Amino acid sequence: GNSVTQMEGPVTLSEEAFLTINCTYTATGYPSLFWYVQYPGEGLQLLLKATKADDKGSNKGFEATYRKETTSFHLEKGSVQVSDSAVYFCALTSSGGSYIPTFGRGTSLIVHP
Amino acid sequence: GAGVSQSPSNKVTEKGKDVELRCDPISGHTALYWYRQSLGQGLEFLIYFQGNSAPDKSGLPSDRFSAERTGGSVSTLTIQRTQQEDSAVYLCASSPSGLAGETQYFGPGTRLLVL
């Protein structure tokens, strides 16, 4: 079956630091990969996605590259802000079988001024 | 149009009571999903609707949980005889067709507390 593994949190950084949140996956078929973000008290919203190998998704300064050879989709940002404090979820949907998304457990990011 | 909406936003109930949670998806979206998010946990899939049909109910934790969708739009998740372990945030999401690669659009959630 499909699975997504994210690094454990919380990740605590100072403003303007570099961010990496690791995400690896196992999937049948050809997965599409997503990062969703959940701000305090809100539902999840799409941050970025990539639908085929070597694609790079980007949004709001965040980037992630779909690496088929390492089955990874790590999230990066060069300079985080306090407003980036949130929980980040890596997810996939796979064309091989059910289209039900598989989510990672989420990684909490705390950015201090 | 508007995004996904859920009601109520908060619900406090007593153990043993029944509760109904409502989800209004984005207009025209045929796929609708319910998830449960417990404190500090990830998302637990509950049920998936395609139109009014539920081809995947595999995540419903027990027969106390049921859901329906009418008119290909509004969905209701019902929890009968609530237990304290049902306390969680219940999230609803919709997507245009339910195909792989589609973005899911989430509502703000219903926070359920069972006393």
Side-chain angles (χ1 to χ4, degrees):
Chain A
N2 298 337
S3 69
V4 174
T5 302
Q6 294 182 232
M7 60 190 291
E8 294 278 336
V11 173
T12 304
L13 296 172
S14 297
E15 206 165 23
E16 298 184 3
F18 184 85
L19 169 70
T20 300
I21 300 178
N22 290 338
C23 171
T24 57
Y25 67 89
T26 58
T28 57
Y30 301 95
S32 297
L33 303 173
F34 305 80
W35 278 101
Y36 287 87
V37 58
Q38 185 178 32
Y39 298 103
E42 299 182 10
L44 281 70
Q45 57 185 271
L46 179 71
L47 180 60
L48 54 84
K49 70 178 184 182
T51 57
K52 61 182 189 293
D54 299 324
D55 272 1
K56 177 185 285 187
S58 61
N59 185 25
K60 299 181 181 179
F62 291 88
E63 293 183 341
T65 301
Y66 185 155
R67 302 285 189 199
K68 186 177 179 181
E69 63 276 12
T70 54
T71 62
S72 65
F73 192 54
H74 304 322
L75 182 68
E76 297 183 336
K77 186 175 186 182
S79 176
V80 294
Q81 305 300 311
V82 172
S83 57
D84 294 327
S85 298
V87 180
Y88 292 80
F89 292 89
C90 185
L92 70 83
T93 56
S94 177
S95 59
S98 170
Y99 295 156
I100 305 299
T102 301
F103 285 85
R105 293 174 63 85
T107 302
S108 175
L109 170 66
I110 302 168
V111 181
H112 294 293
Chain B
V4 178
S5 61
Q6 293 186 245
S7 60
S9 53
N10 293 281
K11 177 71 175 179
V12 180
T13 191
E14 294 180 347
K15 177 181 173 180
K17 301 280 189 181
D18 297 352
V19 296
E20 284 191 353
L21 312 180
R22 176 187 170 106
C23 172
D24 280 273
I26 292 174
S27 177
H29 282 193
T30 63
L32 186 148
Y33 308 79
W34 283 98
Y35 298 91
R36 180 166 70 176
Q37 185 176 29
S38 301
L39 188 62
Q41 302 297 310
L43 270 66
E44 176 187 5
F45 167 75
L46 297 178
I47 188 169
Y48 159 62
F49 285 94
Q50 180 57 251
N52 292 336
S53 301
D56 194 332
K57 305 179 184 179
S58 62
L60 293 177
S62 74
D63 59 7
R64 295 188 295 106
F65 287 72
S66 63
E68 66 174 10
R69 188 178 184 194
T70 56
S73 180
V74 172
S75 177
T76 302
L77 177 69
T78 301
I79 309 173
Q80 295 179 310
R81 305 181 302 282
T82 52
Q83 303 295 311
Q84 290 180 333
E85 61 263 30
D86 299 333
S87 297
V89 176
Y90 290 81
L91 293 169
C92 174
S94 70
S95 67
S97 306
L99 297 176
E102 283 185 352
T103 299
Q104 293 211 320
Y105 296 84
F106 284 81
T110 293
R111 286 155 183 78
L112 175 65
L113 177 61
V114 182
L115 300 177

